Amino acid sequence: MQPILIQEVMNTLPHRFPFLLVDRVLSVENGEVHAIKNVSVNEPFFTGHFPGEPVMPGVLIIEALAQASFFCMRDSLEPGTIGYLAGIDGARFRRKVIPGDTLHLYARLEFMRRGLGKTTCRAEVDGQVAAEATILFAVGKG
């Protein structure tokens, strides 16, 4: 498949700067997604997290994984459908994410039934796991 570029990402997700955390979707196949977030020193959260040692907040890494997860089922949902975060299980943070990193976002759809879904996710930088979690979500009209 051709990568899903930022214009189509913005047509799919309701998020906008500074909360759009997926820059490109590299692949979607059999309920599995590989997307990327290019982490720039210009991100607004770096001025306060932390001055002198910028680190991407873990909650934003989880949010990036949740946004990437939506692409697992994008083609089977009606236009205008939004995924709402319903829960996070087993979140672990293994490596700092800093300016200049490319955050690779992987999500695998475990199930989607009656408007509820679950994905198993991990974020990597340079082949090292930065974070992992199971994300639960509810799907509804925006």
Side-chain angles (χ1 to χ4, degrees):
M1 73 164 265
Q2 292 292 321
I4 299 171
L5 304 179
I6 190 64
Q7 295 84 358
E8 185 61 26
V9 169
M10 291 175 68
N11 287 337
T12 302
L13 297 175
H15 308 80
R16 293 297 177 262
F17 181 83
F19 226 69
L20 180 61
L21 299 174
V22 172
D23 291 323
R24 180 174 291 186
V25 178
L26 300 177
S27 67
V28 179
E29 188 175 351
N30 300 324
E32 295 189 22
V33 168
H34 177 196
I36 59 171
K37 162 68 177 147
N38 294 308
V39 182
S40 166
V41 73
N42 297 324
E43 307 280 356
F45 50 80
F46 281 135
T47 57
H49 198 268
F50 298 100
E53 186 184 352
V55 176
M56 185 174 183
V59 295
L60 293 181
I61 297 169
I62 295 295
E63 176 63 26
L65 288 167
Q67 290 180 22
S69 291
F70 191 75
F71 288 89
C72 288
M73 69 239 145
R74 176 184 85 137
D75 293 337
S76 64
L77 298 174
E78 294 178 34
T81 302
I82 296 177
Y84 296 97
L85 186 62
I88 303 163
D89 290 331
R92 296 288 179 266
F93 302 93
R94 313 249 184 236
R95 178 197 190 281
K96 291 190 295 188
V97 177
I98 59 173
D101 284 344
T102 298
L103 193 59
H104 288 262
L105 309 165
Y106 298 93
R108 183 179 72 240
L109 184 64
E110 298 296 334
F111 71 81
M112 179 68 191
R113 293 189 280 279
R114 295 187 214 126
L116 298 174
K118 177 172 141 179
T119 55
T120 301
C121 306
R122 81 180 179 285
E124 294 181 359
V125 174
D126 296 330
Q128 296 178 325
V129 175
E132 52 195 352
T134 299
I135 297 178
L136 307 169
F137 53 90
V139 175
K141 279 297 204 184

